[in-house]
């Protein structure tokens, strides 16, 4: 009896078929991975905005409890070791003041903050809101929200990183003797956390001001813009051309609302003399007044660090 003993050919994939499958997978990965990354970044941006909202609500509660007066910070202000001049640190140490209204250290940290070791605070306070007391230059007094011409476009908090020398808000202590690194503040032309010798915070907003796009890499700097480096020591003041969240960052305004903005839509610098002053102002280094415009292009900023 004849037995058919012919075996069927192998059913495995050929090399060409495997290469085709691998190519398809690579194409799908190239398409989907950026989508997943964008979705992840959006989720972090939303979490950051939620943190900002908590800080905004806490700060507005504090302001209501203290007769519409803004935060001052730790109010420390002392001579340098050389004794030749005064170091100004308006607004630093604000986190411990509003912590009782927040009751969560996690709310002070942005999930996208790249600082290694997890920073204590990812947000900086507008250093223009504490004002120097004319009667006592070694003291700061709070700015009244009733005097603001446009709190809806006046920056109260903005994003920063590299504040890893700080302390968690619930245990924050700021004192000259301890040379503490406190929750930071600044006027958008830089950020400080009380001790500027180590671990300087850096703006996470992208370059700010109407010249931000072409001045950002300058080592000489210019009045009124948040530039990349300063001439004296090359210390970075801003992360780069664009912000942390999709080219921008979250800002908290003085009316308590949270807004995502590109850095070049925000005017950094000192308080303007009048609400109609343009960026740089008569004396240079100032932010736009709330009714002012960017010098050069005449555009009105979406937000300004000037409360006037």
């Amino acid at each position: 009896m004849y037995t058919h003993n012919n075996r069927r050919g192998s059913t495995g994939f050929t090399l060409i078929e495997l290469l085709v499958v691998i190519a398809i997978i690579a194409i799908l990965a190239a398409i989907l991975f950026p989508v997943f990354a964008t979705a992840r970044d959006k989720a972090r941006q939303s979490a950051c905005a939620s943190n900002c909202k908590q800080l905004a609500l806490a700060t507005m509660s504090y302001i209501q409890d203290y007769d519409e007066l803004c935060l001052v910070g730790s109010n420390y202000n002392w001579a340098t070791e050389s004794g030749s001049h005064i170091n100004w640190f308006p607004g630093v140490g604000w986190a411990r003041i509003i912590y009782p209204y927040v009751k969560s250290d996690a709310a002070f940290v942005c999930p996208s903050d790249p600082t290694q070791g997890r920073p204590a605070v990812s947000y900086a306070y507008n250093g223009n809101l504490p004002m120097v007391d004319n009667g006592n230059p070694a003291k700061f007094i709070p700015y009244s929200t009733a005097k603001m011409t446009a709190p809806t476009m006046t920056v109260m908090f903005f994003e920063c990183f590299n504040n890893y020398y700080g302390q968690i808000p619930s245990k924050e202590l700021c004192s000259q003797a301890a040379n503490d690194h406190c929750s930071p503040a600044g006027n958008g032309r830089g950020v400080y956390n009380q001790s500027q010798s180590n671990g300087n915070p850096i703006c996470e907003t992208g370059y700010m001001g109407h010249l931000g796009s072409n001045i950002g890499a300058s080592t000489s700097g210019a009045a009124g813009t948040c530039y990349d480096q300063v001439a004296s020591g090359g210390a970075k003041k801003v992360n780069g051309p664009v912000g942390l969240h999709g080219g921008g960052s979250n800002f908290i305004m003085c009316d308590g609302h949270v807004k995502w903005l590109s850095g070049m839509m925000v005017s950094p610098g000192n308080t303007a003399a009048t609400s109609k002053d343009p960026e740089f102002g008569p004396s240079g280094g100032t932010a736009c007044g709330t009714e002012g415009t960017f010098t050069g292009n005449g555009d009105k900023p979406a937000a300004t660090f000037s409360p006037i």
Side-chain angles (χ1 to χ4, degrees), residues 127-206:
N128 290 333
L129 299 181
M131 302 184 299
V132 176
D133 185 350
N134 292 328
N136 182 4
K139 179 183 177 183
F140 296 112
I141 56 177
Y143 200 98
S144 172
T145 55
K147 295 182 178 180
M148 293 183 182
T149 56
T152 57
M153 66 174 295
T154 302
V155 173
M156 183 161 61
F157 292 100
F158 59 104
E159 291 193 66
C160 67
F161 74 107
N162 204 44
N163 191 44
Y164 55 85
Y165 281 95
Q167 305 153 345
I168 58 175
S170 59
K171 297 181 179 179
E172 184 175 44
L173 296 173
C174 294
S175 66
Q176 178 185 7
N179 193 27
D180 295 318
H181 301 260
C182 301
S183 45
N187 64 7
R189 296 179 65 204
V191 195
Y192 43 83
N193 62 358
Q194 190 156 313
S195 178
Q196 294 185 308
S197 59
N198 294 297
N200 283 355
I202 300 171
C203 293
E204 193 66 278
T205 58

Side-chain angles (χ1 to χ4, degrees), residues 10 14 18 39-40 45-46 48 87 114 125 140 186 191 209 220 258 270:
S10 174
T14 66
L18 287 174
R40 180 189 61 188
Q45 179 181 336
S46 297
C48 175
N87 267 346
Y125 184 60
F140 296 112
V191 195
S220 60
V258 178
N270 299 322

Side-chain angles (χ1 to χ4, degrees), residues 38-62:
T38 300
R40 180 189 61 188
D41 291 341
K42 280 293 183 182
R44 290 178 175 177
Q45 179 181 336
S46 297
C48 175
S50 177
N51 287 349
C52 289
K53 192 60 180 177
Q54 291 186 63
L55 299 183
L57 291 172
T59 305
M60 298 307 293
S61 296
Y62 170 90

Side-chain angles (χ1 to χ4, degrees), residues 3-248:
T3 303
H4 182 70
N5 197 27
N6 186 27
R7 300 181 61 184
R8 298 183 61 184
S10 174
T11 59
F13 291 109
T14 66
L15 177 60
I16 294 178
E17 289 172 331
L18 287 174
L19 291 175
V20 169
V21 171
I22 292 173
I24 293 173
I25 293 174
I27 293 171
L28 290 175
I31 295 173
L32 294 177
F33 284 175
V35 174
F36 294 149
T38 300
R40 180 189 61 188
D41 291 341
K42 280 293 183 182
R44 290 178 175 177
Q45 179 181 336
S46 297
C48 175
S50 177
N51 287 349
C52 289
K53 192 60 180 177
Q54 291 186 63
L55 299 183
L57 291 172
T59 305
M60 298 307 293
S61 296
Y62 170 90
I63 290 173
Q64 291 176 6
D65 287 347
Y66 287 89
D67 300 324
E68 306 302 317
L69 297 177
C70 294
L71 293 164
V72 174
S74 297
N75 206 26
Y76 284 105
N77 192 15
W78 56 78
T80 60
E81 293 180 4
S82 65
S84 60
H85 64 280
I86 296 293
N87 267 346
W88 306 103
F89 299 103
V92 298
W94 56 268
R96 67 171 180 167
I97 298 173
I98 66 168
Y99 179 80
Y101 297 87
V102 182
K103 297 182 178 178
S104 170
D105 289 318
F108 294 82
V109 181
C110 172
S112 295
D113 192 318
T115 309
Q116 295 183 358
R118 305 305 297 164
V121 177
S122 303
Y123 309 98
Y125 184 60
N126 183 353
N128 290 333
L129 299 181
M131 302 184 299
V132 176
D133 185 350
N134 292 328
N136 182 4
K139 179 183 177 183
F140 296 112
I141 56 177
Y143 200 98
S144 172
T145 55
K147 295 182 178 180
M148 293 183 182
T149 56
T152 57
M153 66 174 295
T154 302
V155 173
M156 183 161 61
F157 292 100
F158 59 104
E159 291 193 66
C160 67
F161 74 107
N162 204 44
N163 191 44
Y164 55 85
Y165 281 95
Q167 305 153 345
I168 58 175
S170 59
K171 297 181 179 179
E172 184 175 44
L173 296 173
C174 294
S175 66
Q176 178 185 7
N179 193 27
D180 295 318
H181 301 260
C182 301
S183 45
N187 64 7
R189 296 179 65 204
V191 195
Y192 43 83
N193 62 358
Q194 190 156 313
S195 178
Q196 294 185 308
S197 59
N198 294 297
N200 283 355
I202 300 171
C203 293
E204 193 66 278
T205 58
Y207 303 144
M208 286 194 277
H210 81 285
L211 292 177
S213 61
N214 56 28
I215 196 172
S218 171
T219 57
S220 60
T225 57
C226 191
Y227 45 86
D228 186 30
Q229 295 181 329
V230 292
S232 59
K236 289 190 68 176
K237 289 197 171 186
V238 66
N239 61 309
V242 297
L244 183 65
H245 301 299

Side-chain angles (χ1 to χ4, degrees), residues 255-272:
D255 68 337
H257 84 276
V258 178
K259 192 172 185 178
W260 178 94
L261 291 171
S262 165
M264 287 195 293
M265 298 170 66
V266 181
S267 180
N270 299 322
T271 300

